[in-house]
Amino acid sequence: MNTTDSIKGAPLPSIRRLPQYLQLLRQMQTKGRIAVSCTHLADDLGFTSTQVRKDLAVTGIIGKPKVGYITEELIASIENFLGWNNYSDAFLVGVGNMGNALLGYDDFRLHGLNIVAAFDANPEKIGKNVHNCEIFALDKMYELAERMHIQIGILTVPAAAAQSVASEMVLAGIRAIWNFSPIALEVPDSIIVENVRLYSSLAVLTSRLANTNK
Amino acid sequence: MNTTDSIKGAPLPSIRRLPQYLQLLRQMQTKGRIAVSCTHLADDLGFTSTQVRKDLAVTGIIGKPKVGYITEELIASIENFLGWNNYSDAFLVGVGNMGNALLGYDDFRLHGLNIVAAFDANPEKIGKNVHNCEIFALDKMYELAERMHIQIGILTVPAAAAQSVASEMVLAGIRAIWNFSPIALEVPDSIIVENVRLYSSLAVLTSRLANTNK
């Protein structure tokens, strides 16, 4: 499940680029642009127009000859594919440095995500508000997840706690985990896990630099 | 430069997995383990042993029949490849939510990175210390980067400021930018850019969930 490199035939690299298209298209829409061509999008984003056509086709939309795409339709098509036409409520567990940072992100709602409650194991944090989000004790997660029909859990606990908290998320009925810990989580196949591996990204940066310095 | 999918023949997916091997190997070393086999690493990380052999070969090391790898040699080989045998000093620009979080990461030093100074455009933040790191005015970056021979810049400013700050980093002599903004930076070909695209990761998570819900 977590190792596939496509979703129903849509290649992951294309999906990963969709937020960039969406951001640009929203800017264009604000400026009153009604239609947009592949070439224009390609120029602005530094992609080829073949790539743009292929990426956007993933969402099910086909451009019209000479017109391109109707901006509004294209935005709706991307948002629909990503599940960002409505935002999904999410829980965040672990209000440390990264958890704090994510709670402060104003524009997650523009990207389909609404963090409705946070959880932490530290009794001193419980009951406090961080960026307008209340922090609850970890053992409240089950009850609240069920009552609020939460499907997405954001995991920002330290490495040592990551697996046990992930297992608790699964027991609480959470179906998709956005994992910011460096741990490879063991969860049932039906659970979606997306890992944000900061150290993997850093490894690419520093090995490139080490290679040019050699 | 930024679109290559390998570094001197080493595939990026292998490089991205190296921090996971390193983390596990360091744990094993702490426990006194002198040698380790591909199969053992594969079992612990959920990879195949062929994959493990291929990933580790990227760093130039070859396992010995029946012995596997000497733990210490393998760690050194990975650290050397990633440039993590010594840590590199880095500047962080933009002490907002994400900047704050990264300054609080204790274990960047274990991953080759040492943030020595932070910069912000907000006069109220200048002169303050965040997680033991002093915040300077943005226009001090040139002088300090030169004096301290800084090669790595961590970009955590808002989207609207990202391109101009990146350009200033380049002028200040920074050669590798770890970009946390959602912007595709325009920099000279010789500059290394590694993008941490949170919204791309979120797009994969939510589109998977949207697809299973349909």
Side-chain angles (χ1 to χ4, degrees):
Chain A
M1 185 87 197
N2 305 326
T3 51
T4 50
D5 52 5
S6 69
I7 299 173
K8 302 235 168 153
L12 285 195
S14 292
I15 295 173
R16 288 186 181 277
R17 281 188 287 268
L18 291 178
Q20 290 177 261
Y21 292 106
L22 192 55
Q23 188 189 24
L24 178 59
L25 287 163
R26 283 170 175 166
Q27 282 170 7
M28 288 175 163
Q29 196 181 35
T30 311
K31 288 176 189 159
R33 220 189 153 85
I34 292 170
V36 62
S37 68
C38 272
T39 321
H40 188 144
L41 290 169
D43 285 351
D44 272 26
L45 294 168
F47 305 151
T48 65
S49 31
T50 312
Q51 185 67 68
V52 171
R53 200 168 295 114
K54 200 180 139 201
D55 286 345
L56 298 176
V58 152
T59 70
I61 203 166
I62 308 290
K64 293 177 186 73
K66 305 217 172 155
V67 178
Y69 306 91
I70 307 299
T71 314
E72 195 180 339
E73 288 176 10
L74 183 51
I75 289 175
S77 181
I78 296 173
E79 286 181 341
N80 182 52
F81 178 84
L82 294 176
W84 292 3
N85 38 358
N86 288 304
Y87 49 72
S88 307
D89 289 340
F91 280 177
L92 179 144
V93 184
V95 192
N97 290 312
M98 184 55 77
N100 246 294
L102 297 183
L103 289 173
Y105 264 55
D106 292 327
D107 49 358
F108 273 143
R109 284 198 189 204
L110 283 174
H111 299 85
L113 197 71
N114 185 33
I115 307 176
V116 289
F119 300 84
D120 203 280
N122 181 348
E124 288 179 22
K125 291 184 182 171
I126 292 158
K128 292 197 176 149
N129 272 272
V130 174
H131 299 288
N132 296 319
C133 190
E134 189 173 344
I135 305 176
F136 296 91
L138 209 49
D139 59 14
K140 290 277 179 198
M141 186 169 63
Y142 299 86
E143 185 198 331
L144 287 175
E146 192 179 19
R147 200 202 304 165
M148 301 174 84
H149 307 288
I150 301 296
Q151 298 197 311
I152 298 178
I154 306 170
L155 188 63
T156 45
V157 300
Q163 179 59 54
S164 74
V165 172
S167 300
E168 289 190 64
M169 281 180 168
V170 172
L171 289 175
I174 279 171
R175 301 182 47 222
I177 300 176
W178 201 14
N179 176 29
F180 283 77
S181 84
I183 301 300
L185 302 175
E186 286 179 30
V187 294
D189 279 354
S190 61
I191 304 296
I192 296 158
V193 176
E194 169 65 17
N195 299 302
V196 178
R197 294 195 185 282
L198 281 192
Y199 296 135
S200 294
S201 173
L202 185 57
V204 173
L205 183 87
T206 56
S207 57
R208 281 208 160 118
L209 188 61
N211 244 295
T212 55
N213 283 346
K214 265 169 198 164
Chain B
M1 184 88 198
N2 306 325
T3 51
T4 50
D5 52 4
S6 69
I7 299 173
K8 302 232 168 156
L12 284 196
S14 292
I15 295 173
R16 289 186 179 276
R17 281 188 288 269
L18 292 178
Q20 288 176 261
Y21 292 107
L22 192 55
Q23 189 189 23
L24 178 60
L25 289 163
R26 283 170 174 167
Q27 283 169 7
M28 288 174 162
Q29 197 181 34
T30 310
K31 288 175 189 159
R33 219 190 155 83
I34 291 170
V36 62
S37 68
C38 272
T39 321
H40 189 145
L41 290 170
D43 285 350
D44 272 25
L45 294 168
F47 305 150
T48 65
S49 34
T50 312
Q51 184 68 69
V52 171
R53 200 168 294 113
K54 200 181 138 199
D55 286 346
L56 298 176
V58 152
T59 70
I61 203 166
I62 308 290
K64 293 177 186 73
K66 304 213 174 156
V67 180
Y69 306 91
I70 307 299
T71 315
E72 195 181 339
E73 288 176 9
L74 184 51
I75 289 175
S77 181
I78 296 174
E79 287 180 340
N80 182 51
F81 178 83
L82 294 175
W84 293 2
N85 37 358
N86 287 305
Y87 47 72
S88 307
D89 289 340
F91 280 176
L92 179 144
V93 184
V95 191
N97 290 312
M98 184 56 75
N100 245 295
L102 298 183
L103 289 173
Y105 265 55
D106 291 327
D107 49 359
F108 273 143
R109 283 196 189 206
L110 283 175
H111 299 86
L113 196 70
N114 185 32
I115 307 177
V116 290
F119 299 85
D120 203 281
N122 182 347
E124 287 178 22
K125 292 183 181 172
I126 292 158
K128 293 197 173 146
N129 272 272
V130 175
H131 299 288
N132 296 320
C133 190
E134 189 174 344
I135 306 176
F136 296 91
L138 209 50
D139 58 15
K140 291 275 179 201
M141 185 169 63
Y142 299 84
E143 185 199 330
L144 287 174
E146 192 178 18
R147 200 201 305 165
M148 302 175 81
H149 306 289
I150 302 296
Q151 297 197 312
I152 299 178
I154 305 171
L155 187 64
T156 44
V157 299
Q163 179 59 55
S164 74
V165 172
S167 301
E168 289 188 64
M169 282 181 166
V170 172
L171 288 175
I174 280 171
R175 300 183 46 220
I177 299 175
W178 202 14
N179 176 29
F180 284 76
S181 85
I183 301 300
L185 302 175
E186 287 180 30
V187 294
D189 279 354
S190 60
I191 303 297
I192 296 158
V193 176
E194 169 66 16
N195 299 303
V196 178
R197 294 194 185 281
L198 282 192
Y199 296 135
S200 293
S201 173
L202 184 58
V204 173
L205 183 86
T206 57
S207 57
R208 281 206 161 120
L209 188 60
N211 244 296
T212 56
N213 284 345
K214 264 170 200 164

